[in-house]
Amino acid sequence: MDVFLQQLINGLSLGGIYALIALGYTMVYGIIELINFAHGDVYTLGTFFSLAILTLLGVTGIVTGPALIVVVAVTILGAMILCGLTGVIVERLAYRRLRNAPKLAPLITAIGMSFILENLMLYWHGPSPIPFPAVIPNPAVGLGSVTIQAKQIMVIVLAVVLMVVLQVFVYNTKLGKAMRATAQDKDAAQLMGININTTIALTFLIGSALAGAAGFVSGVYYGSTWFLNGFAAGLKAFTAAVLGGIGNLAGAMLGGFLIGLTEAMTTQFISDQWSNVVVFSVLVLVLIFRPTGLLGESLPNKV
Amino acid sequence: MALLEVENLVARYGRITALDGIALTVEQGEIVTLIGANGAGKTTTLRTISGLVRPAAGTIRFDGRDISKLAPNDIVRAGISHSPEGRHVFPRMTVRENLELGAYTRTAKSEIAEDTEQVLGIFPRLRERYEQKAGTMSGGEQQMLAIARAMMSRPRLLLLDEPSLGLSPILVQTIFGVIRDINARGTTVLLIEQNARQALAVAARGYVLEVGRIAHSGAAAELSASEAVRAAYLGGAA
Ligand SMILES: Nc1ncnc2c1ncn2[C@@H]1O[C@H](COP(=O)(O)OP(=O)(O)O)[C@@H](O)[C@H]1O
Ligand SMILES: [Mg+2]
């Protein structure tokens, strides 16, 4: 039981990272039906940007006291802004002109963008793993034989806070409503007076900013990164988005946590090496019984 | 000066020329109808006016201002609202949210509330369905919503593309009644219809499109009486 609880905590923190990345996949897919293969790399860039900001701030290890809050806030916000801008630039340069092209064209372009970002990061930090400073003190709180590390709490809290903010934005603001309208019918959205270029750019900004936050968290969580870090994480986050129902925000969050939990449990009760097999088996099983994913709607667009 | 003046308008889809230099005007306060067979270019005309299709040549002046290069969202702000062919309501949003989006360009809350009350008064059915997702409603209900939503921007010119398509005869009567009503309250209407007889009955003037060109135009009564129009669009009967 204790082992189970322990893995529950581990799985939730892992899942928080996947969920944050999955949101970007699902938002972009929801609005322009593109699987943005470069998104996993934007997440890695988030870790790289965080590292650069920490270096600028002179942080090389653990920070304590009030300075900790400032450092964490500045780094997360900085990584979110820089990743958000990266996403906007990628959309503007690569995807926008292909919006009315056959679906394969933007897809291939996305794969190309992924290679470009990976190679930029390779050039930036080389091919080896890069250490990431611990930043936050990491006392472990013991609950019986279960230990919760401070950084795990940080991941879960940050993920949940960002998700709540996103949910409020999308469902309770005018811009959020414009985003949903654009996702559902671009012509109609324009006829309402919505500038869909702005709305789509905003979607990339937000999705990529969330990946930036995940990038910071993952640096702290794992203590290292490298230029291809986003490949596996991106694939799992994408799986999470599909599992939850691509295009659906709540689905991406649920999917992210489920994938994190599945991975943690498999690692504990079966073996490390089986975790990917189990994760993708879960995906396949869910899709057999619910092709639209767990929370995906299958409401017809035309009645 | 007419409220809407279209001159020499050309629109293409790749190599297909859908509009081959059409001209039309709509005066302030009028109902004008555009009739024609399937594929004649009626929908393209409205989509070009509202900016969804870029004209290849020609000018579109609204209230004296050239709008042919404006983006659709700016054309809405200029005062043109378009209820498109096929309704295009937001399927995963409620009636309320669809109407709110209709008022996207506006800010005065109290005026929006007034207009919401007004359209719900015109279409009581929408009030009953207020919190229902538009995608789950019947075709007729969606059509009412599309028209109501288009009215929510308080347009000076309302473009209606086949508002009676696929509706029951009773509902068709309702819709035509509503069009008269909207017009009586001061909104200028450019109406596309396959149901030419009905359209000519509500409109002051009409244009007949044939494969991308205006074949006939004139007062609605004249068009209804014309042999050529009757033979082609009014089923020939007297
Ligand atoms: N998106 C499109 N792509 C290519 N051709 C189109 C498109 N939309 C309409 N057309 C063509 O343009 C012509 C006019 O169509 P349309 O304006 O829809 O006519 P109507 O509304 O009078 O039925 C037709 O020949 C039609 O096939
Ligand atoms: Mg048509």
Side-chain angles (χ1 to χ4, degrees):
Chain A
M1 194 60 205
D2 286 349
V3 180
F4 177 80
L5 280 180
Q6 183 67 61
Q7 290 307 330
L8 191 67
I9 302 295
N10 295 353
L12 285 179
S13 31
L14 201 57
I17 297 178
Y18 292 150
L20 285 177
I21 308 171
L23 283 168
Y25 278 110
T26 225
M27 288 173 78
V28 165
Y29 186 86
I31 207 149
I32 55 170
E33 282 170 33
L34 169 73
I35 299 167
N36 181 13
F37 280 105
H39 189 63
D41 303 297
V42 172
Y43 153 72
T44 314
L45 260 179
T47 316
F48 277 46
F49 286 140
S50 300
L51 188 60
I53 295 167
L54 290 171
T55 309
L56 273 178
L57 296 174
V59 175
T60 52
I62 288 172
V63 186
T64 52
L68 175 64
I69 295 168
V70 176
V71 165
V72 169
V74 167
T75 314
I76 291 183
L77 277 179
M80 287 179 79
I81 291 168
L82 291 171
C83 283
L85 291 178
T86 306
V88 169
I89 291 168
V90 166
E91 190 273 331
R92 185 71 190 85
L93 293 183
Y95 303 152
R96 183 175 299 184
R97 64 193 76 227
L98 296 174
R99 211 177 279 157
N100 298 316
K103 290 264 183 301
L104 207 53
L107 204 65
I108 300 289
T109 306
I111 294 173
M113 272 326 299
S114 167
F115 282 131
I116 291 173
L117 293 181
E118 283 169 7
N119 278 284
L120 286 174
M121 290 188 286
L122 174 63
Y123 181 76
W124 187 359
H125 273 299
S128 325
I130 313 141
F132 194 97
V135 186
I136 66 168
N138 197 26
V141 185
L143 288 174
S145 60
V146 180
T147 54
I148 306 175
Q149 301 169 44
K151 65 187 185 187
Q152 292 182 315
I153 296 173
M154 176 194 73
V155 178
I156 297 170
V157 168
L158 184 74
V160 169
V161 166
L162 288 175
M163 287 174 205
V164 169
V165 170
L166 178 70
Q167 199 76 14
V168 169
F169 174 78
V170 169
Y171 286 94
N172 297 294
T173 68
K174 198 167 173 176
L175 272 177
K177 199 182 293 161
M179 269 171 70
R180 286 189 295 139
T182 306
Q184 290 179 34
D185 191 324
K186 278 176 200 54
D187 278 357
Q190 296 185 79
L191 294 179
M192 300 301 107
I194 293 166
N195 182 337
I196 62 167
N197 284 334
T198 310
T199 314
I200 292 170
L202 179 70
T203 306
F204 273 84
L205 182 84
I206 296 173
S208 306
L210 293 173
F216 168 78
V217 165
S218 120
V220 171
Y221 196 75
Y222 294 106
S224 79
T225 187
W226 68 309
F227 78 107
L228 285 180
N229 195 40
F231 182 75
L235 197 59
K236 279 186 201 146
F238 175 63
T239 306
V242 175
L243 180 67
I246 190 122
N248 183 299
L249 293 183
M253 302 176 203
L254 177 67
F257 284 114
L258 282 180
I259 298 279
L261 286 171
T262 308
E263 197 176 319
M265 295 300 170
T266 313
T267 307
Q268 174 69 39
F269 296 108
I270 305 174
S271 112
D272 214 351
Q273 285 146 6
W274 279 86
S275 79
N276 284 346
V277 176
V278 174
V279 162
F280 288 103
S281 305
V282 168
L283 174 73
V284 170
L285 274 178
V286 168
L287 291 186
I288 288 173
F289 294 105
R290 270 196 72 94
T292 53
L294 292 172
L295 302 183
E297 297 175 70
S298 51
L299 193 67
N301 282 322
K302 297 193 176 74
V303 178
Chain B
M1 182 186 64
L3 182 62
L4 180 76
E5 291 176 303
V6 172
E7 274 168 31
N8 183 36
L9 189 64
V10 178
R12 299 199 177 92
Y13 299 102
R15 284 198 314 250
I16 301 168
T17 299
L19 297 180
D20 196 8
I22 67 162
L24 60 87
T25 58
V26 180
E27 300 289 336
Q28 174 79 43
E30 269 189 318
I31 298 181
V32 172
T33 186
L34 198 57
I35 58 182
N38 239 329
K42 305 181 297 295
T43 295
T44 305
T45 305
L46 292 202
R47 288 174 63 84
T48 313
I49 295 171
S50 62
L52 291 173
V53 172
R54 295 264 125 211
T59 56
I60 305 168
R61 266 192 302 276
F62 181 65
D63 207 9
R65 168 183 177 209
D66 183 4
I67 58 164
S68 58
K69 287 181 185 62
L70 292 187
N73 51 301
D74 292 322
I75 292 175
V76 179
R77 284 184 174 77
I80 298 180
S81 192
H82 180 176
S83 167
E85 182 177 60
R87 307 182 280 263
H88 284 267
V89 293
F90 298 106
R92 294 189 296 282
M93 293 202 205
T94 62
V95 168
R96 176 177 52 76
E97 291 175 302
N98 269 276
L99 294 178
E100 285 167 2
L101 280 160
Y104 187 78
T105 53
R106 302 170 58 189
T107 48
K109 284 229 167 63
S110 61
E111 285 179 25
I112 296 174
E114 251 170 53
D115 288 4
T116 308
E117 267 313 305
Q118 190 198 324
V119 299
L120 293 177
I122 296 175
F123 299 109
R125 196 51 176 265
L126 295 180
R127 197 190 294 278
E128 292 164 29
R129 300 270 182 271
Y130 204 47
E131 295 297 339
Q132 187 172 326
K133 294 250 164 74
T136 66
M137 303 198 307
S138 74
E141 289 165 346
Q142 290 190 15
Q143 186 62 64
M144 296 183 211
L145 178 56
I147 297 173
R149 185 183 64 177
M151 291 168 65
M152 289 301 297
S153 66
R154 261 199 199 177
R156 297 179 59 197
L157 173 64
L158 180 61
L159 310 176
L160 297 174
D161 196 339
E162 304 216 27
S164 73
L165 189 71
L167 303 191
S168 70
I170 297 174
L171 218 44
V172 171
Q173 292 312 317
T174 312
I175 297 281
F176 275 99
V178 165
I179 293 170
R180 270 203 190 90
D181 204 42
I182 293 170
N183 180 247
R185 290 168 201 248
T187 308
T188 308
V189 176
L190 178 54
L191 169 70
I192 291 186
E193 265 299 331
Q194 289 233 323
N195 191 338
R197 192 184 303 275
Q198 289 264 18
L200 289 170
V202 295
R205 292 188 301 116
Y207 292 86
V208 179
L209 260 180
E210 275 172 17
V211 284
R213 291 171 181 275
I214 305 274
H216 311 277
S217 66
E222 279 168 37
L223 288 175
S224 304
S226 132
E227 272 309 317
V229 173
R230 265 176 36 193
Y233 304 102
L234 300 175

